[in-house]
Amino acid sequence: MSAKQDDVLNARLSRVRVVLVSTSHPGNIGAVARAMKNMGLTQLVLVNPAEFPSGEARARASGANDILEQAQVVSSMESAVAGCAVVLGASARLRSIPWPSLDPRAAADRVLEVVESADAALVFGRENNGLSNDELDRCNYLVHIPANPDYSSLNIAAATQVLVYELRMSLLEQTGRRDNRFHSDQPRATADELERLYEHLQQTLTELDFLKPSAPRQIMRRLRRLFGRAELDRMEINILRGILSAVQSRSRGEKTEESER
Amino acid sequence: MSAKQDDVLNARLSRVRVVLVSTSHPGNIGAVARAMKNMGLTQLVLVNPAEFPSGEARARASGANDILEQAQVVSSMESAVAGCAVVLGASARLRSIPWPSLDPRAAADRVLEVVESADAALVFGRENNGLSNDELDRCNYLVHIPANPDYSSLNIAAATQVLVYELRMSLLEQTGRRDNRFHSDQPRATADELERLYEHLQQTLTELDFLKPSAPRQIMRRLRRLFGRAELDRMEINILRGILSAVQSRSRGEKTEESER
């Protein structure tokens, strides 16, 4: 990832506030700070935390102390979300009047539309009973993590982790930088290098009398499928061809010995 | 979601083992159990845990004690993953010989291909230094959560939460049950109901002399855009039309009063 692309990513993520309303356990505040920093977010806002600052929060933050030190402590959700163009409230509770609700992936997309030019907030309620209806009234959307219906209440730091992960993933996806294949320190083998490997393999297996020269097709097709799927790099090709050469030289040598006996 | 669909989902998720190798902090084991149960997983395998069973694990599991009670404790990664058709190792560490690495979404897809017919394992290493190279050798893939490069090490329960969330999301997506729009207790308004609302609105705004009858287009277009985006339900349409009727009757009454003066 280039430094410039990193800057864009960080600028977008720095516009997303995580707002924790009346958190009881300071350890959860620390765990949220860690989850935020892991995904590149910086703005933590605490509405009436039961205990803050706190040694337990620092312990659970585990290196994300800068997030805790910069955290804003405010006395109302209203001031926590002031200036935000979109406010999303996380809640597992089902309610009699349904709020418009998005899953975390759809919510991330909505947030990312906004943070090109404005701030957004993800709001998390109390550990025991979430956000009040008055607080939900200040949200544009409710975010619902699709959980096991028999056990749907996530720990607040776990819920934060899911939402900020989705934000980062969506940003990476949008900018074509989602990286879902493996890296190698070696260049990927090209189609012609693969062909030469297959030729070498077929020749070697024929010399071993493993393949019938008249009907090599089925086995070779299966071997092609295997190595094709493995997406070999150049060094792996060289290792495999080295092995084939060693097999050939031993096999030819042994044949000579046999014929000499 | 129907009960039958739930059964399929639960059957698939019950084939995914979460394997924790040499976990130091029992609290993390509890938090992992909670994350698993939240997403519908059941099989927890502990390789040489520092402390288990543990009160701290139970406290952090917060209702997911059944997962802890059913957890298997084994003495090697080999026995933990025995019988699994695919083994994914979570690791944040970069290594000199790169392992094939997937992001959590790609990893979830790979796991779901397997669990139609076999077990799969997600393996998490030690809190401080992850999985050893020998342990990674037993993995088909490494799963890498795309984190902030300056602070890339997630708490083990947070990492588990992300991976099991992706599993559940991918299953919901695959089966067409991803639910990314809001629910309402009311049926969604139909196109013709919306049109009648717009007619009513235009009529009322014209009566208020807010719209010029000669050129209502621009304002009406903006209002259509707003209500179109809001995806109204039938009750909302009724409320809005009730408001319009109240405005009309007041406006007509006042006009009458004015003309009577």
Side-chain angles (χ1 to χ4, degrees):
Chain A
M1 206 186 291
S2 78
K4 197 182 162 190
Q5 286 179 318
D6 258 354
D7 287 349
V8 172
L9 190 104
N10 292 336
R12 298 281 157 84
L13 293 173
S14 71
R15 279 196 147 141
V16 183
R17 295 179 205 170
V18 172
V19 176
L20 304 184
V21 178
S22 303
T23 312
S24 318
H25 300 293
N28 283 333
I29 298 175
V32 165
R34 178 171 180 180
M36 289 173 61
K37 188 168 179 180
N38 278 143
M39 295 296 125
L41 281 79
T42 54
Q43 284 197 65
L44 176 61
V45 186
L46 306 171
V47 182
N48 299 321
E51 187 188 334
F52 189 84
S54 140
E56 205 181 331
R58 275 192 299 276
R60 290 280 295 281
S62 180
N65 279 319
D66 49 337
I67 306 285
L68 292 181
E69 279 156 24
Q70 295 161 26
Q72 269 190 284
V73 179
V74 299
S75 60
S76 71
M77 175 164 158
E78 190 179 356
S79 49
V81 301
C84 289
V86 73
V87 177
L88 293 108
S91 181
R93 281 206 288 163
L94 297 175
R95 283 152 206 292
S96 51
I97 298 181
W99 262 258
S101 151
L102 302 168
D103 74 12
R105 199 157 298 164
D109 289 341
R110 212 51 76 101
V111 168
L112 294 183
E113 285 168 22
V114 163
V115 294
E116 287 185 34
S117 58
D119 278 17
L122 299 175
V123 186
F124 297 85
R126 296 151 194 83
E127 285 96 333
N128 290 329
N129 50 9
L131 293 167
S132 70
N133 284 351
D134 281 354
E135 287 154 357
L136 283 172
D137 278 341
R138 298 188 179 275
C139 299
N140 299 87
Y141 298 97
L142 191 152
V143 190
H144 177 68
I145 297 175
N148 177 358
D150 297 330
Y151 185 71
S152 64
S153 176
L154 275 72
N155 167 268
I156 186 172
T160 304
Q161 182 67 66
V162 166
L163 297 195
V164 297
Y165 158 78
E166 278 285 10
L167 269 182
R168 191 176 182 89
M169 275 293 275
S170 292
L171 255 177
L172 292 170
E173 185 116 54
Q174 274 186 10
T175 52
R177 287 181 290 146
R178 196 188 141 200
D179 189 7
N180 57 354
R181 288 302 301 158
F182 67 90
H183 305 281
S184 176
D185 50 352
Q186 294 287 317
R188 189 71 62 91
T190 58
D192 47 305
E193 288 168 340
L194 261 182
E195 280 310 311
R196 288 201 293 274
L197 169 68
Y198 296 141
E199 283 161 21
H200 197 167
L201 185 60
Q202 180 167 344
Q203 194 188 12
T204 308
L205 296 180
T206 306
E207 287 177 27
L208 287 173
D209 298 326
F210 181 82
L211 289 181
K212 288 179 196 155
S214 54
R217 287 276 180 79
Q218 284 302 321
I219 299 279
M220 282 309 299
R221 181 161 293 141
R222 290 204 171 259
L223 291 167
R224 277 174 176 268
R225 220 190 281 173
L226 184 168
F227 289 113
R229 198 172 63 228
E231 300 182 37
L232 301 173
D233 68 33
R234 193 160 298 159
M235 182 179 285
E236 290 164 343
I237 290 262
N238 290 341
I239 292 171
L240 291 172
R241 294 198 60 185
I243 293 171
L244 293 173
S245 294
V247 171
Q248 283 180 313
S249 99
R250 172 66 59 96
S251 145
R252 289 169 189 169
E254 283 180 356
K255 270 191 185 158
T256 313
E257 280 166 29
E258 273 174 22
S259 63
E260 282 172 349
R261 258 183 238 149
Chain B
M1 209 186 291
S2 77
K4 197 183 164 189
Q5 286 178 319
D6 257 354
D7 287 348
V8 172
L9 190 104
N10 292 336
R12 298 281 157 85
L13 292 173
S14 71
R15 279 195 148 140
V16 183
R17 295 179 205 171
V18 171
V19 177
L20 304 184
V21 178
S22 303
T23 311
S24 318
H25 301 293
N28 283 333
I29 298 175
V32 165
R34 179 171 179 179
M36 289 173 61
K37 188 168 178 180
N38 278 144
M39 295 295 126
L41 281 78
T42 53
Q43 281 197 67
L44 176 60
V45 185
L46 306 171
V47 182
N48 298 323
E51 186 188 334
F52 188 85
S54 140
E56 206 181 330
R58 274 191 299 276
R60 289 281 296 283
S62 181
N65 279 320
D66 49 338
I67 307 286
L68 292 181
E69 279 156 23
Q70 296 161 24
Q72 270 190 282
V73 179
V74 300
S75 60
S76 71
M77 174 162 157
E78 190 179 355
S79 50
V81 301
C84 289
V86 72
V87 178
L88 292 108
S91 181
R93 281 205 288 164
L94 298 175
R95 284 148 206 293
S96 51
I97 300 181
W99 262 257
S101 150
L102 302 169
D103 73 12
R105 201 158 298 164
D109 290 341
R110 210 54 73 103
V111 168
L112 294 184
E113 283 167 23
V114 163
V115 294
E116 286 184 35
S117 57
D119 277 17
L122 299 175
V123 186
F124 297 85
R126 295 149 194 84
E127 285 95 334
N128 291 329
N129 50 8
L131 294 167
S132 70
N133 285 350
D134 280 354
E135 286 154 356
L136 282 172
D137 278 341
R138 297 188 179 275
C139 298
N140 299 86
Y141 299 97
L142 190 153
V143 190
H144 177 68
I145 297 176
N148 176 359
D150 298 329
Y151 185 71
S152 64
S153 176
L154 274 73
N155 165 269
I156 187 174
T160 305
Q161 181 66 66
V162 166
L163 298 194
V164 297
Y165 158 78
E166 278 286 9
L167 269 181
R168 191 175 182 89
M169 275 294 275
S170 293
L171 255 177
L172 292 171
E173 185 118 53
Q174 274 186 12
T175 52
R177 286 181 290 147
R178 193 186 144 203
D179 189 8
N180 58 353
R181 289 303 303 160
F182 67 89
H183 303 280
S184 176
D185 49 352
Q186 294 286 319
R188 190 69 63 89
T190 58
D192 48 305
E193 288 168 338
L194 261 183
E195 280 309 311
R196 289 200 292 273
L197 169 67
Y198 296 141
E199 284 161 21
H200 197 168
L201 185 59
Q202 180 167 343
Q203 192 188 15
T204 307
L205 295 179
T206 305
E207 287 177 25
L208 287 174
D209 298 326
F210 181 82
L211 288 182
K212 286 179 197 155
S214 54
R217 287 277 179 79
Q218 284 302 322
I219 298 282
M220 281 310 299
R221 181 162 294 140
R222 289 202 171 261
L223 291 168
R224 274 173 179 271
R225 221 190 280 171
L226 184 167
F227 289 113
R229 196 171 66 228
E231 301 183 36
L232 301 173
D233 67 32
R234 193 160 297 160
M235 184 180 284
E236 291 164 342
I237 291 261
N238 290 341
I239 292 170
L240 291 172
R241 294 199 59 183
I243 293 171
L244 292 174
S245 295
V247 171
Q248 284 181 313
S249 99
R250 173 66 59 93
S251 145
R252 288 169 188 170
E254 281 179 0
K255 271 192 184 155
T256 314
E257 279 166 29
E258 271 173 24
S259 63
E260 280 172 352
R261 259 182 237 151

